[in-house]
């Protein structure tokens, strides 16, 4: 039972639209032992250890379904059982997860085991413990044959307890989790910012943060006041609010004097601790005060200790949010009730059998413990742990009523007296907290403190919510919802618009074009790309930043008001998306690249991965209607609008889509040029002539015409004005500084040089066709290369794409050979070019990129064209602009007037669309799309 490889997906992925972990596992000889063959003892032992498995529905979809899978016919296989055990262990630790999927990966005994998680380390640890548990309940003779061995002293009960405690250290506490739940109910996204309780709600400029129940609106000085119990006491006392008498001391001797001055009994507490730590109550003797002073000093961070008059009454926590009392809970310290039969230890065990009690914050209530404080109280009462308490005697194991130490809570919100309500709200307002808890002692919360007495013993910043959201008795209160509604009042934005862009070629240029349009429209844009992360046009992080980490850098930036997220195959395969949903999404194309890597072997598999970006868009999806694999994605989105992009105005499906009121961006042909046109809900909107877009080189760079069409479609779907889209495209240039490595033109030599990062056949084809279209009076020279980790056929296809378009080919290798020999790739390229009819005299092999580029520049004469397919883009560009072999000869760009365009609905262009076998056309309120008539196999 080996784990071969693992992927932790942080967002939508090929398995689910939420976080999952994938383990590629090898079960070895256990492939021969389905559950029935492992025996009844194995099944019974597993169910005894994990009784919650009885509720798993599995493929049957109802409780008991998984048990049937274990017991029926020959049973189910161990990887599938491992998946369910992993899920159940997380549930036992307090993390509700339900999704799992296990499938063979084609190799005998090897499976992809996928399961949901909430916290990464907990999910991984659950899988490890599940494996050990399964091995421990297997027959001994099977265990002996396994390569994975258990430690001799493996004890599942002990390991489970350790795992639950570990999970609680890693997972959110109940208060933080309640806030996250409330945010999710309001469709507000969240991001965990550290390994503790720092959480961001919302994205970009609209974000708010919490740490536990401290919010980004919590006043720092208010927290400081609440943490200083003396300041809090004096502040409330000055306002006439009920507080006990109090004195601060620095020694046990002074504490005894203060107690006598205030009047016994007294309470001792640290100056600055919380959660009831270090508090001792009802102290009547010098010895007790001495002990309590040392205990308070030990638990606090200050040398000072407070001595207070002891108020009698019941402990109540009154929670105030945004100036309003939203919940009241009566708290009862952890205790046992005598029955004249059992010892104190036995009574604790009986109380802990309550299924609502668990380890730490695992469940609604916390288990009682016989720790040092409980032992002290037992001894002070003259008892021992073996004492049998009389019938009905209540014995408190804690002097404070915190739930984290085994206390219980009773909701009293609906019966609190109005005077007490006003008192609590005044107290929190006086301290200055947006969220605060008042600890109030009174014999009856339903009566006014003015009549029966009572007092505020503490005001807490970051109050716990557990007692309110899950009281032991009474009505749960949505206090977390009150906090979220305070942070995000009704009709307040929570998210910035997100545009997700994917495809094989054109992603980066389209992302840059769209970002430029949005900046023109007045936005602060956060953009991820293969060049880096940009915020408001400035480079923030350099490198290939197209994965989930980069997305979250943008979404966490408080200055960003719109996000453009280029999303590449690698990040999706490795970790999924870095966002749960987007407003708009585009898939530009699906072309052969990176095939044979990371389990992606076919174009269909590559399309399935890129489709995830499309699946999570909610407002609009933009698809390349000229690419059949993109076209098929239309049936996998629930977005409100479906927009097609086509460069063929005769496209039959797009024409029907437009007639049905659908949205499309079409390249329509005129007498002397081509017009980018938007169709939407019956409207025909001419946008811009392609020759007016500098990035298209007068419309000849058709790949950038298509990129501009996608950028326009995305901007239009983001409700940007037409003039902003037009101005953005008119002013976007593919200069090195605006789009490094994307058709960067340099005309400062007597010859023209174009630098491009094209590294697959489709990209090289577009650039090679551009070389043919451009007016060149001299020769055309190409510096050609291919990444070494591509399949042989992909490298050969790159050479085929370039063949016939240039007069001279210089074949080189990348700096990173990626497993190839130093001249292996140049040799392959040269051999393919020769096979395509290119004369050997017109092919040079220079493996080094710098030397190859230098050779091309040196060989170029006046009016030549040099296209460098570069890898080290910055180095190449510097080499090009600093080349000293010629004098300046800047080129002029002449634009041609164009006046007439033929609408797609009236064109005579041939229709390239062919409906494949097994597909059909479907029309709805979004327009027309193709869907498969073949039903997918269910899990």
């Amino acid at each position: 039972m080996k784990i071969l490889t693992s992927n932790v997906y942080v967002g939508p992925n090929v398995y689910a639209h939420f976080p999952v972990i994938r383990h590629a596992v090898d079960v070895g000889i256990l492939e021969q032992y389905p559950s029935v063959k492992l025996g009844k003892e194995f099944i019974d032992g597993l169910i005894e250890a994990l009784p919650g498995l009885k509720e798993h529905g599995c493929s049957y979809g109802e409780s008991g379904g998984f048990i049937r899978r274990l017991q029926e016919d020959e049973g189910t296989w161990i990887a599938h059982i491992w998946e369910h055990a992993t899920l159940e262990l997380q549930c036992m630790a307090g993390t509700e997860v339900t999704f799992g999927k296990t499938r063979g990966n084609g190799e005998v005994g090897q499976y992809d085991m996928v399961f949901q998680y909430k916290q990464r380390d907990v999910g991984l640890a659950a899988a490890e413990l599940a494996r050990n548990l399964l091995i421990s309940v297997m027959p001994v003779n099977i265990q002996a044959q396994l390569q994975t061995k258990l430690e001799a002293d493996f004890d599942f009960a002990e390991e489970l307890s350790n795992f639950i405690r570990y999970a609680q250290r890693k997972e959110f506490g109940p208060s933080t989790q309640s806030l996250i739940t409330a945010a999710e109910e309001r469709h507000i996204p969240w991001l965990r910012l550290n390994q503790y309780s720092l959480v961001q709600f919302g994205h970009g400029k609209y974000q708010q943060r919490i740490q536990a129940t401290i919010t980004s609106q919590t006043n720092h000085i208010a927290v400081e006041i609440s943490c200083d119990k003396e300041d809090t006491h004096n502040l409330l006392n000055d306002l006439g609010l009920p507080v006990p008498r109090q004195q601060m001391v620095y020694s046990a001797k002074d504490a005894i004097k203060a107690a006598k001055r205030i009047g016994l009994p007294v309470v001792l507490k640290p100056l600055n601790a919380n959660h009831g730590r270090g508090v001792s109550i009802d102290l009547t003797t010098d010895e007790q005060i001495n002990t309590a002073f040392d205990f308070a000093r030990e638990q606090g961070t200050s040398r000072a200790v407070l001595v207070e008059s002891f108020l009698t009454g019941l402990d109540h926590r009154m929670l105030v949010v945004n100036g309003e009392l939203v919940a009241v809970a009566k708290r009862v310290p952890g205790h046992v009730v005598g029955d004249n039969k059992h010892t104190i230890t036995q009574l604790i065990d009986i109380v802990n059998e309550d299924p609502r009690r668990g380890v730490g914050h695992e469940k609604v209530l916390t288990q009682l413990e016989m720790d040092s404080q409980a032992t002290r109280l037992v001894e002070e009462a003259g008892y021992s742990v073996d004492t049998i308490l009389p019938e009905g005697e209540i014995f408190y194991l804690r002097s404070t009523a915190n739930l984290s130490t085994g206390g219980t809570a009773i909701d009293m919100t609906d019966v609190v007296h109005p005077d007490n309500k006003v008192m609590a709200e005044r107290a929190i307002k006086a301290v200055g907290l947006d969220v605060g808890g008042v600890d109030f002692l009174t014999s009856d919360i339903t009566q006014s403190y003015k009549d029966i007495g009572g007092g505020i013993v503490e005001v807490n910043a970051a109050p716990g919510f557990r007692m309110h959201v899950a009281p032991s008795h009474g009505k749960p209160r949505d206090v977390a919802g009150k906090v979220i509604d305070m942070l995000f009042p009704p009709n307040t934005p929570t998210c910035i618009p997100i545009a997700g862009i994917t495809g094989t070629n054109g992603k980066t240029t389209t992302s840059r074009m769209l970002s430029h349009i949005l900046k023109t429209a007045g936005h602060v844009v956060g953009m991820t790309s293969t060049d880096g992360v940009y915020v408001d046009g400035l480079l923030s992080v350099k490198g290939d930043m197209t994965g989930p980490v980069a997305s979250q850098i943008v979404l966490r930036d408080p200055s960003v008001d719109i996000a453009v997220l280029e999303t590449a195959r690698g990040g999706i395969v490795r970790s999924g998306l870095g966002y749960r949903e987007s407003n708009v999404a585009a898939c530009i194309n699906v072309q052969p690249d990176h095939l044979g890597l990371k389990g992606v072997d076919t174009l269909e598999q590559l399309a399935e991965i890129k489709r995830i970006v499309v699946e999570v868009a909610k407002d609009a999806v933009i698809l390349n209607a000229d690419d059949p694999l993109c076209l098929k994605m239309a049936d996998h989105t629930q977005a409100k609008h479906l927009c097609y992009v086509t460069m063929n105005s005769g496209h039959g499906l797009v024409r029907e889509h437009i007639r049905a009121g659908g949205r499309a961006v079409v390249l329509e042909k005129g007498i002397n040029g081509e017009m980018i046109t938007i169709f939407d809900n019956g409207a025909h909107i001419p946008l811009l002539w392609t020759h007016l877009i500098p990035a298209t080189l007068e419309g000849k760079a058709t790949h950038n015409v298509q990129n501009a069409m996608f950028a326009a479609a995305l901007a239009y779907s983001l409700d940007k004005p037409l003039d902003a889209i037009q101005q953005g495209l008119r002013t976007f240039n593919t200069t090195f500084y605006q789009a490094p490595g994307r058709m960067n033109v340099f005309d400062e030599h007597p010859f023209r040089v174009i630098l491009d990062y094209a590294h697959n056949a489709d990209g090289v084809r577009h650039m090679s066709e551009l070389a043919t279209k451009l007016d060149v009076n001299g020769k055309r020279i190409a510096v050609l290369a291919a990444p070494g980790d591509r399949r042989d056929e992909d490298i050969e296809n790159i050479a085929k794409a370039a063949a016939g378009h240039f007069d001279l080919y210089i074949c080189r290798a990348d700096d990173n050979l990626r497993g190839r020999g130093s001249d292996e790739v140049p040799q392959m390229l040269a051999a393919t070019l020769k096979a395509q009819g290119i004369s050997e005299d017109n092919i040079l092999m220079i493996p080094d990129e710098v030397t190859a580029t230098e050779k091309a520049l040196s060989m170029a004469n006046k009016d030549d064209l040099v296209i460098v397919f570069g890898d080290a883009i910055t180095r190449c560009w510097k080499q090009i602009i600093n080349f000293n072999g010629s004098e300046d000869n800047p080129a002029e760009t002449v634009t041609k007037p164009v006046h007439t365009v033929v609408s797609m609905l009236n064109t005579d262009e041939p229709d390239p669309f062919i409906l494949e076998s097994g597909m059909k056309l479907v029309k709805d309120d979004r327009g027309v799309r193709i869907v498969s008539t073949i039903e997918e196999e269910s899990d």
Side-chain angles (χ1 to χ4, degrees):
M1 294 180 72
K2 292 181 180 177
I3 298 174
L4 303 176
T5 59
S6 297
N7 292 91
V8 179
Y9 296 101
V10 299
N13 55 81
V14 290
Y15 302 104
H17 284 180
F18 45 79
V20 297
I21 292 172
R22 180 197 72 93
H23 282 329
V25 302
D26 187 341
V27 301
I29 65 158
L30 291 172
E31 180 69 7
Q32 306 166 32
Y33 293 92
S35 55
V36 169
K37 197 170 181 181
L38 285 171
K40 186 176 184 300
E41 289 187 8
F42 168 79
I43 296 173
D44 291 346
L46 177 62
I47 296 171
E48 181 182 355
L50 304 176
L53 291 176
K54 296 175 184 176
E55 302 302 319
H56 289 211
C58 201
S59 56
Y60 287 101
E62 59 184 17
S63 294
F66 178 64
I67 303 302
R68 289 177 61 185
R69 291 288 302 273
L70 284 172
Q71 296 172 339
E72 290 179 351
D73 301 323
E74 59 183 349
T76 188
W77 267 254
I78 197 69
H80 180 219
I81 303 170
W82 190 354
E83 166 213 317
H84 277 269
T86 302
L87 291 171
E88 181 57 28
L89 282 168
Q90 292 184 81
C91 290
M92 294 175 75
T95 302
E96 289 299 320
V97 288
T98 57
F99 175 82
K101 179 186 289 187
T102 300
R103 298 287 184 273
N105 66 7
E107 298 291 331
V108 176
Q110 292 188 14
Y111 296 83
D112 285 330
M113 182 182 78
V114 179
F115 56 91
Q116 187 181 3
Y117 75 95
K118 293 291 181 68
Q119 203 283 328
R120 175 187 183 276
D121 296 331
V122 174
L124 294 171
E128 186 78 18
L129 179 56
R131 176 176 63 178
N132 292 341
L133 168 63
L134 295 178
I135 294 173
S136 73
V137 295
M138 287 179 188
V140 176
N141 63 312
I142 301 295
Q143 292 187 37
Q145 300 177 57
L146 300 179
Q147 293 184 358
T148 306
K149 304 294 183 183
L150 287 181
E151 294 183 5
D153 59 348
F154 177 79
D155 182 330
F156 176 68
E158 181 181 344
E159 294 294 331
L160 177 61
S161 178
N162 291 339
F163 168 71
I164 291 173
R165 293 179 185 278
Y166 173 79
Q168 288 177 5
R169 291 196 300 272
K170 295 289 185 177
E171 295 279 13
F172 290 118
S175 299
T176 306
Q177 185 58 57
S178 70
L179 287 163
I180 289 171
T181 301
E184 290 176 338
E185 290 172 351
R186 290 157 176 78
H187 305 290
I188 298 172
W190 59 273
L191 297 169
R192 190 171 191 169
L193 302 183
N194 66 6
Q195 59 181 323
Y196 303 109
S197 299
L198 184 61
V199 177
Q200 173 184 315
F201 293 123
H203 290 154
K205 68 181 287 186
Y206 301 120
Q207 67 181 270
Q208 297 283 349
R209 296 176 185 172
I210 61 152
Q211 182 148 22
T213 58
I214 295 283
T215 80
S216 46
Q217 296 183 11
T218 302
N219 192 310
H220 175 73
I221 197 168
V223 175
E224 290 292 310
I225 291 170
S226 69
C227 289
D228 188 312
K229 292 179 173 56
E230 185 187 34
D231 280 350
T232 303
H233 175 275
N234 294 339
L235 190 63
L236 300 182
N237 186 59
D238 290 346
L239 290 175
L241 291 168
V243 291
R245 295 179 61 196
Q246 185 185 87
Q247 185 174 335
M248 186 166 62
V249 298
Y250 292 89
S251 68
K253 182 179 179 181
D254 289 341
I256 293 170
K257 290 180 181 178
K260 291 177 178 177
R261 190 177 302 114
I262 290 171
L264 299 172
V266 293
V267 174
L268 261 68
K269 61 174 73 171
L271 177 66
N272 51 2
N274 55 14
H275 298 296
R277 284 189 284 266
V279 178
S280 301
I281 67 172
D282 198 15
L283 307 174
T284 57
T285 68
D286 292 358
E287 184 180 357
Q288 289 174 339
I289 293 170
N290 263 316
T291 303
F293 180 87
D294 293 337
F295 181 55
R297 178 74 70 80
E298 177 186 319
Q299 295 295 315
T301 57
S302 168
R303 291 179 58 249
V305 171
L306 296 176
V307 181
E308 284 184 356
S309 56
F310 176 58
L311 299 179
T312 58
L314 301 172
D315 185 3
H316 297 82
R317 165 58 63 82
M318 309 178 76
L319 181 67
V320 177
V321 176
N322 200 26
E324 175 194 1
L325 181 70
V326 297
V328 179
K330 179 165 69 176
R331 301 188 297 180
V332 181
H335 63 277
V336 294
V337 181
D339 60 4
N340 210 27
K341 295 178 184 177
H342 297 93
T343 66
I344 291 176
T345 299
Q346 292 170 335
L347 290 172
I348 291 173
D349 293 338
I350 292 170
V351 170
N352 287 340
E353 288 175 2
D354 184 342
R356 296 177 300 168
R357 291 189 181 269
V359 178
H361 296 303
E362 172 197 0
K363 297 184 178 178
V364 173
L365 298 174
T366 301
Q367 291 186 350
L368 298 177
E369 291 183 14
M370 181 52 71
D371 58 8
S372 58
Q373 187 176 163
T375 301
R376 176 173 62 82
L377 291 172
V378 168
E379 291 173 352
E380 289 178 357
Y383 294 154
S384 75
V385 293
D386 297 322
T387 298
I388 296 176
L389 296 176
E391 180 80 31
E393 180 178 331
I394 298 175
F395 186 80
Y396 292 102
L397 298 166
R398 284 290 183 278
S399 52
T400 56
N402 296 79
L403 268 66
S404 57
T405 56
T408 56
I410 303 167
D411 179 69
M412 305 291 289
T413 308
D414 292 334
V415 297
V416 64
H417 193 279
D419 286 349
N420 299 337
K421 175 179 182 294
V422 172
M423 171 210 66
E425 292 170 348
R426 284 187 64 208
I428 295 301
K429 195 173 293 185
V431 174
L433 294 169
D434 59 337
V435 180
V438 175
D439 289 342
F440 182 61
L441 291 180
T442 180
S443 58
D444 187 352
I445 196 71
T446 68
Q447 297 187 50
S448 172
Y449 74 92
K450 298 176 183 178
D451 298 330
I452 65 169
I456 299 171
V457 293
E458 204 162 296
V459 171
N460 296 278
F465 287 177
R466 185 182 176 197
M467 69 192 76
H468 305 298
V469 299
S472 315
H473 306 283
K475 180 180 177 181
R477 304 290 169 173
D478 181 24
V479 296
K482 296 286 188 179
V483 176
I484 297 299
D485 291 341
M486 175 190 72
L487 296 176
F488 299 99
N491 302 318
T492 298
T494 62
C495 303
I496 59 173
I498 297 174
I501 301 173
T502 192
T504 304
N505 296 314
K507 301 185 297 295
T508 301
T509 301
T510 302
S511 298
R512 286 183 172 276
M513 281 181 170
L514 177 60
S515 297
H516 184 71
I517 292 169
L518 296 174
K519 187 173 176 64
T520 301
H523 287 286
V524 176
V525 185
M527 184 189 78
T528 67
S529 72
T530 51
D531 305 320
V533 176
Y534 291 79
V535 175
D536 201 23
L538 301 176
L539 180 64
S540 175
V541 182
K542 190 176 182 180
D544 187 347
M545 301 297 288
T546 55
V549 171
S551 297
Q552 294 192 5
I553 289 174
V554 167
L555 298 178
R556 288 168 62 165
D557 193 303
S559 62
V560 171
D561 63 14
I562 197 164
V564 177
L565 306 179
E566 178 186 343
T567 309
R569 165 210 60 91
I572 302 173
V573 171
R574 183 177 59 254
S575 304
L577 300 183
Y579 50 94
R580 298 294 175 88
E581 63 180 18
S582 63
N583 297 84
V584 299
C587 185
I588 299 171
N589 47 52
V590 181
Q591 295 294 327
D593 197 12
H594 300 283
L595 297 181
L597 301 174
K598 304 290 185 182
V600 182
D601 301 313
T602 67
L603 272 177
E604 289 71 22
Q605 290 174 329
L606 184 60
E608 185 179 357
I609 289 166
K610 292 183 180 297
R611 193 181 73 201
I612 296 162
V613 177
V614 169
E615 291 174 354
V616 301
K618 61 180 183 178
D619 292 337
V621 161
I622 295 92
L623 298 175
N624 185 349
D626 301 328
D627 187 320
L629 290 172
C630 291
L631 207 53
K632 292 176 182 177
M633 296 179 186
D635 196 39
H636 296 270
T637 175
Q638 300 299 317
K640 298 172 187 173
H641 298 282
L642 185 57
C643 178
Y644 293 124
V645 171
T646 180
M647 299 181 72
N648 192 317
S649 57
H651 200 297
L653 182 142
V654 177
R655 186 185 292 119
E656 290 305 309
H657 177 71
I658 291 170
R659 286 174 175 159
R663 185 179 295 178
V665 176
V666 181
L667 188 65
E668 295 186 325
K669 290 180 170 53
I671 295 176
N672 295 312
E674 294 173 318
M675 169 72 75
I676 296 174
T677 305
I678 298 172
F679 290 87
D680 186 26
N681 197 26
H684 175 249
I685 310 168
L687 182 70
L688 193 63
W689 296 105
T690 60
H691 73 273
L692 298 179
I693 304 172
T696 69
L697 298 184
E698 298 184 340
K700 295 184 175 72
T702 55
H703 62 291
N704 268 356
V705 171
Q706 186 182 67
N707 293 336
M709 294 170 72
F710 271 94
L714 285 159
Y716 181 81
S717 297
L718 286 165
D719 297 324
K720 299 304 130 186
L722 293 176
D723 58 351
I725 300 174
Q726 293 163 339
Q727 181 65 13
L729 292 177
R730 280 175 175 270
T731 56
F732 179 83
N733 284 287
T734 57
T735 64
F736 178 80
Y737 303 101
Q738 197 161 10
R742 271 69 190 178
M743 206 179 71
N744 308 139
V745 180
F746 189 76
D747 283 328
E748 300 295 314
H749 299 313
F751 50 88
R752 169 174 282 187
V753 185
I754 300 177
L755 172 65
D756 198 88
Y757 184 60
H759 55 279
N760 56 50
D762 186 60
V764 170
R765 176 179 62 80
H766 281 298
M767 293 302 301
S768 300
E769 290 175 353
L770 172 64
T772 302
K773 290 178 183 178
L774 291 173
D775 296 327
V776 178
N777 294 325
K779 60 183 179 294
R780 295 175 173 85
I781 303 171
V783 179
L784 192 62
D789 61 354
R790 303 306 194 263
R791 302 174 302 176
D792 289 357
E793 63 192 89
D794 297 327
I795 295 175
E796 291 165 1
N797 286 336
I798 286 175
K800 290 176 182 177
H805 294 282
F806 298 91
D807 302 299
L808 179 65
Y809 300 84
I810 300 176
C811 302
R812 65 161 187 83
D814 288 346
D815 293 352
N816 183 351
L817 299 175
R818 306 190 190 194
R820 299 278 185 176
S822 60
D823 65 348
E824 185 177 352
V825 169
Q827 292 277 8
M828 293 175 67
L829 292 169
T832 303
L833 289 169
K834 291 174 189 175
Q836 295 296 306
I838 307 300
S839 168
E840 190 171 343
D841 295 338
N842 296 331
I843 303 171
L844 298 178
M845 284 189 296
I846 305 177
D848 178 65
E849 182 176 60
V850 173
T851 308
T853 304
E854 183 70 21
K855 183 68 173 176
L857 297 173
S858 300
M859 295 181 70
N861 297 317
K862 188 174 185 296
D863 295 331
D864 285 352
L865 170 67
V866 179
I867 293 186
V868 178
F869 294 102
D871 180 46
I873 294 299
T874 301
R875 183 181 68 195
C876 283
W877 184 251
K878 288 180 179 178
Q879 189 176 359
I880 290 167
I881 64 175
N882 293 322
F883 178 70
N884 294 316
S886 56
E887 60 188 29
D888 291 348
N889 185 20
E892 253 184 62
T893 300
V894 180
T895 60
K896 302 173 183 177
V898 185
H899 302 291
T900 307
V901 65
V902 179
S903 171
M904 180 184 198
L905 298 179
N906 302 315
T907 185
D908 294 326
E909 289 288 318
D911 181 3
F913 174 68
I914 299 174
L915 188 65
E916 296 180 13
S917 175
M919 308 297 291
K920 66 178 181 179
L921 290 180
V922 170
K923 182 186 290 187
D924 59 20
D925 57 359
R926 299 186 301 175
V928 177
R929 67 182 190 277
I930 58 173
V931 302
S932 174
T933 59
I934 302 169
E935 291 188 10
E936 292 189 8
E937 198 175 307
S938 61
D939 294 337

